[in-house]
């Protein structure tokens, strides 16, 4: 009648439950590591430049919008910019509405196809937000401090894995 | 200590204690919710990139945390019910499922509402979003299994097994943003990494208050629902009959039918 007793029956059931957790855990871990490649949401510009990405289907390319690369057409929604992982960059063409967070230096993911000339024609552009939240004043003072150090550091979340 | 746990595990005692605790927990949760919402929606500064849109974090993140906590809570009480055949643990596991499902749903919906303006899409099939959707479906599976089997005790065992199998999804949700390239950002606050949260302190404090408020709300609703479950499961026992008849529970009612279910098999 007591709450936590350990009769043989209870020990058996406890063992079965623990084995179940360990077994399922192992099976899922093996399955996920086998599908590691397919679980990647996007490719890096370096992989694109090295030709490691498929050209015959829609892919995703993720990186930072290169500073000073954004060119907007005056009479349409056409935008041209390049994405970089600070080593290599890929030119991107996109026609449509960009998300709020899109700006130079921002992490983005472009969905589309690689053209024959090595440029990327995007059907959709998603902004990738990083995990930092701060008031504008703090961001300004951080930026000023960073400019003094003259070091452009890439946020960890956008680095190639 | 064990003696107290034994006493509490009796449905009748738990029913009475939970009834006394509920208004206090619920009241504390409401106060914290009001403080947290005021802090988050009014006092906290705007975000440098997202402006006011970031404020959905005060609902989204506590919901997501609670959806995972609720699942672990449900699986552990399910396992206790499975191993020791304690009626109370079975009733708790059955009560948590719809609550956890609601939190998972809230996390998915608020995330989606935030995703449209910020990311530019309502939904993507990245690892974090997909694994959270699976969590929601696991909850629905547990609810369906509980409803599909007429005998409540059999239903509890079957759904406990499903809940335990689904536990593997929890570390996947937590680490999905580390293991794979995802659109979803990494964790802002992480106990595991032992580093300062990458959110400004003025924004962090309301978030923690909201998380505590959600946690208390969770337990309030769990207690309320478990009381209902116990009444339903014990409807043929004397203490419930007495409750219904409006009689004060007799002191002689210390018979065996109120105690923990005997190990049957």
């Amino acid at each position: 009648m007591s709450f936590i007793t350990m009769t043989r029956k209870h020990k058996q059931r406890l063992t079965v439950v623990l084995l179940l957790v360990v077994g399922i855990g192992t099976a899922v871990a093996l399955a996920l590591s086998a599908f590691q490649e397919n679980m990647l949401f996007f490719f890096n510009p370096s992989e694109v430049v090295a030709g490691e990405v498929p050209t015959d289907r829609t892919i995703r390319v993720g990186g930072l919008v290169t500073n000073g690369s954004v060119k907007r057409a005056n009479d349409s929604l056409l935008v041209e910019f390049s994405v970089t992982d600070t080593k290599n960059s890929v030119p991107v063409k996109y026609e449509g509405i960009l998300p709020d967070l899109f700006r130079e230096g921002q992490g983005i993911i472009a969905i589309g196809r690689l053209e024959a000339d090595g440029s990327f024609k995007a059907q959709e552009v998603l902004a990738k937000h990083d995990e930092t939240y701060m008031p504008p004043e703090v961001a300004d003072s951080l930026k000023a401090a960073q400019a003094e150090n003259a070091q452009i550091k890439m946020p960890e979340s956008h680095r190639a894995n | 200590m064990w003696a107290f746990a034994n006493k509490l595990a009796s449905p009748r005692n738990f029913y009475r204690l939970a009834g006394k605790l509920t208004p206090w927990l619920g009241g504390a949760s409401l106060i914290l919710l009001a403080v947290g919402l005021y802090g988050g929606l009014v006092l906290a500064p705007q975000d440098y990139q997202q402006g006011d849109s970031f404020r959905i974090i005060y609902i989204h993140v506590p919901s997501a945390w609670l959806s995972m906590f609720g699942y672990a809570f449900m699986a552990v009480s399910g396992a206790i019910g499975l191993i020791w055949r304690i009626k109370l643990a079975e009733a708790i596991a059955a009560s948590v499922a719809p609550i956890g499902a609601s939190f998972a749903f809230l996390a998915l919906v608020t995330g989606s509402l935030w995703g449209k303006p910020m990311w530019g899409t309502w939904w993507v099939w990245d690892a974090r979003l997909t694994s959270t959707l699976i969590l929601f479906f696991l909850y629905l599976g547990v609810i369906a299994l509980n409803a599909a089997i007429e005998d409540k005790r059999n239903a509890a065992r079957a759904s406990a097994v499903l809940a335990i199998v689904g536990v593997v999804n929890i570390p996947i949700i937590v680490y999905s943003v580390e293991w794979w390239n995802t659109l979803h950002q990494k964790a802002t606050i992480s106990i595991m990494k032992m580093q300062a949260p990458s959110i400004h302190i003025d924004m962090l404090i309301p978030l923690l208050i909201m998380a505590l408020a959600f946690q208390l709300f969770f337990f309030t609703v769990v207690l309320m629902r478990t009381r209902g479950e116990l009444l339903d499961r014990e409807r043929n026992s004397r203490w419930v009959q007495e409750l219904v008849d409006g009689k004060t529970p007799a002191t002689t009612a210390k018979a065996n039918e109120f105690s923990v279910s005997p190990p049957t098999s």
Side-chain angles (χ1 to χ4, degrees), chain A residues 65-135:
Chain A
V65 179
T66 315
N67 281 323
S69 73
V70 179
K71 277 179 240 131
R72 288 169 200 270
N74 290 326
D75 53 346
S76 72
L77 288 172
L78 186 74
V79 192
E80 284 181 38
F81 57 91
S82 72
V83 270
T84 175
D85 56 3
T86 65
K87 279 183 229 114
N88 293 293
S89 65
V90 175
V92 178
K93 276 182 215 151
Y94 174 67
E95 194 163 1
I97 298 165
L98 290 163
D100 281 11
L101 283 178
F102 183 91
R103 64 201 73 191
E104 289 178 356
Q106 176 75 37
I108 60 120
I109 292 169
I111 303 159
R113 275 165 182 275
L114 206 56
E115 301 281 278
D117 61 352
S119 76
F120 191 79
K121 188 156 172 41
Q123 301 145 7
E124 203 178 348
V125 173
L126 305 178
K128 185 165 161 46
H129 181 53
D130 65 24
E131 64 273 27
T132 47
Y133 298 83
M134 55 185 145

Side-chain angles (χ1 to χ4, degrees), chain B residues 53-81:
Chain B
S53 306
F54 97 95
R55 294 183 199 278
I56 205 161
I57 197 176
Y58 296 113
I59 304 292
H60 176 73
V61 170
S63 310
W65 283 345
L66 260 294
S67 69
M68 291 188 281
F69 172 83
Y71 196 89
F73 191 77
M74 178 178 76
V76 169
S77 24
I80 292 174

Side-chain angles (χ1 to χ4, degrees), chain B residues 70-122:
Chain B
Y71 196 89
F73 191 77
M74 178 178 76
V76 169
S77 24
I80 292 174
L82 198 62
I83 298 167
W84 286 282
R85 302 286 143 88
I86 295 169
K87 278 185 195 163
L88 175 63
E90 295 174 358
I92 289 177
S95 320
V96 171
I99 305 166
S102 315
F103 279 122
F105 183 73
L106 202 57
L108 288 168
V109 169
T110 50
S112 185
L113 289 175
W114 178 87
K116 185 59 188 170
M118 289 303 145
W119 290 339
T121 180
W122 299 104

Side-chain angles (χ1 to χ4, degrees), chain B residues 185-200:
Chain B
Q185 58 268 32
K186 294 189 176 183
T188 296
I189 303 161
S190 173
I191 305 168
M192 309 288 180
K193 275 197 264 175
M194 301 290 285
Q195 63 184 26
S198 49
I199 178 170
H200 193 267

Side-chain angles (χ1 to χ4, degrees), chain B residues 68 128 131 166-177 179-180:
Chain B
M68 291 188 281
R128 172 56 73 80
S131 55
V167 160
V168 72
N169 192 35
I170 299 294
I172 293 179
I173 297 177
V174 174
Y175 291 107
S176 55
V177 289
W179 292 341
W180 302 291

